[in-house]
Amino acid sequence: MSLPTMASPTLSPDSSSQEALSAPTCSPTSDSENLSPDELELLAKLEEQNRLLEADSKSMRSMNGSRRNSGSSLVSSSSASSNLSHLEEDTWILWGRIANEWEEWRRRKEKLLKELIRKGIPHHFRAIVWQLLCSATDMPVKNQYSELLKMSSPCEKLIRRDIARTYPEHEFFKGQDSLGQEVLFNVMKAYSLVDREVGYCQGSAFIVGLLLMQMPEEEAFCVFVRLMQEYRLRELFKPSMAELGLCIYQFEYMLQEQLPDLNTHFRSQSFHTSMYASSWFLTLFLTTFPLPVATRVFDIFMYEGLEIVFRVGLALLQVNQTELMQLDMEGMSQYFQRVIPHQFDSCPDKLVLKAYQVKYNPKKMKRLEKEYAAMKSKEMEEQIEIKRCGVGAPVPTGISSELATQQ
């Protein structure tokens, strides 16, 4: 599979004043009317912890410039740590209630639910909550699973080749005869049979592998089917990979609009967005971050969709802009592989906080989608005309090597 040739988006002269990617204004929510006093208190604690994290981030930045402020970050860190221990106890009890009263929480307590998911779903609740989030608990396709495993798929060799490179250091997937590799093969093969247009795509095994770390293979299969159908993943993994082209196009606009100096530097070094961001969209950061951090991003993806990939991606560039501006193409490639993945190991909350400080405008993204579709339609017409005249069309750029470097 290959990545289509992509043109970069251009900023219109008035875009900064009228259509800039700005954070949408939040209207007052009626959620608070549906929350009990205990739930309101928990929401206040979550918001206070966000304030502490933000203060801690700011004090750390000022400490880098001047050692005179070294005490402030220690105070806010200890406060956040103290709050967190109580918060973990409260949220653990609460998540059990959420799972049992799911429909009411989705309908009437959305603000608190969103905050809780952004803080991370507790490990023992992830299997059921992920299924509830994507409505995969009662899917008819689950009844087909055992029959699909008895069939053969034209993708089997490809799947076998790739599963050995999927989480090779994780105990569950270690070794050719491991249970992890076997169930991963089963789910990927079953999906290739129910969706023959997509079949199997490199990168999707990382998503299925994460699901299998949380739940049995039949349930993982149902969740993956739902993610492909409802979360734009199927469009990302289609042979044409047109949706990946769109995501890169939209991300380039955000980069150009919010970090123009870094965008200019990338261009001067021929450091194309697809070189570092393709795997972010195709594997949802599962080949970028260690699992504890990547799983936090995945929690949010399950509730809010691909928006979190744009937010986290741009947050990473914002945090690292100064360092990246000093590097050439080779240096930046190494930096993306060796430095960026481990910057938030000790505090994933700070990554999430920075992601939600990124400006993101859904209406603008929709406009870019229409713009991209019109551009691709025009390109297709031109290619038809070129073929009619007997001239070969350009060969699209591949992404296999880019994904390989992330594994």
Side-chain angles (χ1 to χ4, degrees), residues 293-318:
V293 181
T295 308
R296 288 288 303 279
V297 176
F298 198 84
D299 284 341
I300 300 169
F301 167 76
M302 291 294 293
Y303 191 50
E304 302 182 41
L306 278 178
E307 177 181 326
I308 189 60
V309 180
F310 289 96
R311 287 185 173 278
V312 169
L314 205 72
L316 292 176
L317 297 185
Q318 286 176 340

Side-chain angles (χ1 to χ4, degrees), residues 31-285:
D31 265 17
S32 57
E33 297 171 12
N34 301 316
L35 299 180
S36 68
D38 286 348
E39 289 162 357
L40 283 169
E41 185 183 349
L42 178 58
L43 182 58
K45 284 182 186 177
L46 289 165
E47 290 170 347
E48 174 62 16
Q49 192 191 346
N50 280 340
R51 283 193 290 273
L52 288 168
L53 279 166
E54 190 165 6
D56 190 39
S57 295
K58 287 176 180 174
S59 65
M60 286 298 286
R61 282 199 298 274
S62 65
M63 188 172 70
N64 288 337
S66 167
R67 291 291 169 184
R68 287 176 298 180
N69 298 331
S70 59
S72 60
S73 67
L74 294 173
V75 172
S76 54
S77 290
S78 63
S79 302
S81 175
S82 171
N83 268 19
L84 186 59
S85 59
H86 296 297
L87 201 57
E88 284 175 344
E89 188 178 333
D90 291 342
T91 53
W92 184 266
I93 296 165
L94 186 57
W95 273 107
R97 207 159 78 230
I98 291 169
N100 286 325
E101 302 166 6
W102 182 253
E103 288 306 320
E104 174 161 352
W105 276 81
R106 281 302 291 262
R107 283 198 318 269
R108 305 184 65 202
K109 302 178 182 182
E110 187 179 6
K111 183 179 179 183
L112 179 54
L113 182 61
K114 185 179 285 189
E115 283 295 323
L116 287 164
I117 290 169
R118 289 179 183 179
K119 286 293 173 192
I121 301 166
H123 173 71
H124 288 86
F125 289 99
R126 277 198 171 108
I128 182 60
V129 173
W130 284 358
Q131 290 176 73
L132 290 167
L133 279 169
C134 67
S135 305
T137 48
D138 295 304
M139 291 179 66
V141 75
K142 187 174 183 179
N143 300 324
Q144 300 173 30
Y145 185 72
S146 58
E147 290 304 311
L148 290 166
L149 296 187
K150 296 173 187 174
M151 300 164 64
S152 61
S153 163
C155 302
E156 287 184 24
K157 282 187 181 177
L158 271 177
I159 297 169
R160 285 281 182 208
R161 183 199 68 190
D162 278 354
I163 58 172
R165 299 184 296 186
T166 306
Y167 304 114
E169 301 305 314
H170 195 284
E171 203 59 43
F172 186 50
F173 296 100
K174 262 186 189 172
Q176 193 173 345
D177 299 320
S178 66
L179 174 62
Q181 286 200 18
E182 194 53 40
V183 293
L184 179 56
F185 173 81
N186 287 347
V187 175
M188 300 312 306
K189 173 184 150 180
Y191 186 80
S192 73
L193 289 165
V194 295
D195 186 354
R196 291 180 183 268
E197 183 185 2
V198 171
Y200 167 74
C201 180
Q202 185 184 16
S204 57
F206 285 95
I207 296 169
V208 174
L210 180 68
L211 298 176
L212 288 166
M213 293 177 206
Q214 315 293 331
M215 61 190 78
E217 61 185 286
E218 294 91 343
E219 293 172 4
F221 172 66
C222 291
V223 172
F224 185 60
V225 168
R226 186 67 78 191
L227 294 182
M228 293 292 277
Q229 291 173 344
E230 306 294 339
Y231 286 70
R232 289 175 67 183
L233 293 190
R234 186 173 186 275
E235 302 305 310
L236 275 171
F237 289 127
K238 273 185 179 179
S240 68
M241 288 193 155
E243 193 79 0
L244 179 59
L246 168 61
C247 289
I248 297 294
Y249 184 79
Q250 291 169 319
F251 189 81
E252 281 182 348
Y253 184 93
M254 292 178 71
L255 173 61
Q256 187 178 345
E257 203 257 351
Q258 298 184 47
L259 299 171
D261 292 343
L262 184 60
N263 180 59
T264 301
H265 177 65
F266 281 171
R267 287 175 178 274
S268 72
Q269 296 295 319
S270 299
F271 193 62
H272 303 297
T273 311
S274 60
M275 294 170 69
Y276 61 86
S278 292
S279 67
W280 293 352
F281 289 100
L282 290 173
T283 69
L284 310 174
F285 291 102

